[in-house]
Amino acid sequence: MKNNINQQIKSFLKVIQLHKNETALIKKALKNNREAQHVLFELHAPKMLSVCRYYIKDAQHAEDVMLNGFFKVFSNLKSFKSEGSFEGWIRRIMVRESISFLRQQKKNEFSIEDMVVKDDYANNINTNIEVAEIQQLIDVLPKGYKMVFVMYAIEGYKHQEISEMLNISEGTSKSQLFKARKMLQEKIKELNKITSYGTN
């Protein structure tokens, strides 16, 4: 019991120390300190590349978008008000950059019909599929389905926010999410069947 409490205290202190270190780095980066900017980039780049990769299938393009995103991060660092997490602020920039890239590529097409979808709709997907395989399944979703699914299910945006960012109706956002989940569920069931056959 005592050891568990000590471990929790150490973890808590580590979080505080990390936050203090990041705050100091941000202050230095605001003064165009290249070393501080590099450390912040190294801290957040792996996760931000994953964010871009969710939206953009091509790994090289995803990396280019991430680098453009970090250019905007450091160019607009003074607009970070420390009211939320720094990571969350960076993520929002990466999401916008990814959407902007897809718009330029004309790859964010949405089906025109709006379906009436219950707000409490949820797919219960039971699977042992690896994360890399899930990413591959997301990659083959139609572009509109994919973007809304990632923004809602992975990034945590609400339908109202998605509709404003993508310039679509909330109904279209819900429709795209519904269809994306249904398609993913079907593909995962197929993969689970293949996996179970392979183990017999």
Side-chain angles (χ1 to χ4, degrees):
M1 182 69 178
K2 188 176 180 180
N3 287 337
N4 287 339
I5 293 172
N6 287 335
Q7 286 176 354
Q8 289 174 359
I9 292 172
K10 284 181 180 178
S11 297
F12 182 66
L13 290 175
K14 189 181 287 186
V15 169
I16 292 175
Q17 189 61 43
L18 180 63
H19 179 72
K20 282 185 177 179
N21 289 343
E22 188 173 72
T23 301
L25 285 168
I26 292 169
K27 287 180 180 177
K28 288 180 180 179
L30 275 166
K31 297 176 181 177
N32 292 321
N33 183 301
R34 299 297 181 192
E35 186 178 350
Q37 290 177 349
H38 179 72
V39 173
L40 286 170
F41 175 83
E42 291 293 321
L43 278 171
H44 295 285
K47 193 172 287 188
M48 294 308 128
L49 181 58
S50 295
V51 171
C52 296
R53 178 65 185 79
Y54 277 127
Y55 293 90
I56 302 164
K57 185 175 181 180
D58 184 278
Q60 185 61 55
H61 286 158
E63 187 173 350
D64 290 343
V65 169
M66 178 199 72
L67 292 174
N68 287 335
F70 270 105
F71 176 77
K72 289 195 175 179
V73 165
F74 294 121
S75 298
N76 298 281
L77 198 54
K78 59 186 176 185
S79 68
F80 175 63
K81 304 300 183 184
S82 300
E83 293 170 354
S85 75
F86 185 55
E87 180 183 312
W89 183 73
I90 297 176
R91 286 179 80 99
R92 286 191 290 276
I93 291 174
M94 295 298 164
V95 170
R96 289 194 188 99
E97 282 298 295
S98 298
I99 292 170
S100 177
F101 171 81
L102 291 172
R103 276 186 176 142
Q104 290 169 10
Q105 300 292 312
K106 296 182 179 177
K107 290 183 177 178
N108 59 332
E109 297 171 0
F110 300 92
S111 57
I112 58 173
E113 75 278 10
D114 287 357
M115 286 176 54
V116 177
V117 182
K118 292 182 180 178
D119 288 337
D120 61 352
Y121 173 83
N123 291 89
N124 296 317
I125 302 174
N126 297 315
T127 179
N128 295 317
I129 297 172
E130 296 293 329
V131 172
E133 290 179 298
I134 295 290
Q135 177 66 68
Q136 288 174 356
L137 294 181
I138 292 173
D139 281 339
V140 299
L141 286 172
K143 297 298 185 289
Y145 294 14
K146 176 181 176 180
M147 191 177 295
V148 172
F149 177 82
V150 172
M151 292 182 75
Y152 185 91
I154 297 173
E155 297 296 330
Y157 287 98
K158 293 180 171 62
H159 286 296
Q160 182 183 349
E161 295 172 309
I162 295 171
S163 70
E164 290 171 357
M165 292 177 75
L166 299 183
N167 195 26
I168 59 176
S169 70
E170 286 188 48
T172 297
S173 178
K174 292 176 182 180
S175 169
Q176 299 293 298
L177 179 65
F178 177 91
K179 294 172 184 175
R181 282 175 164 169
K182 188 175 181 181
M183 187 175 287
L184 278 175
Q185 188 177 45
E186 289 169 357
K187 290 183 178 297
I188 287 172
K189 281 180 181 177
E190 289 173 12
L191 269 181
N192 281 335
K193 283 180 183 178
I194 294 169
T195 305
S196 63
Y197 289 150
T199 54
N200 289 339

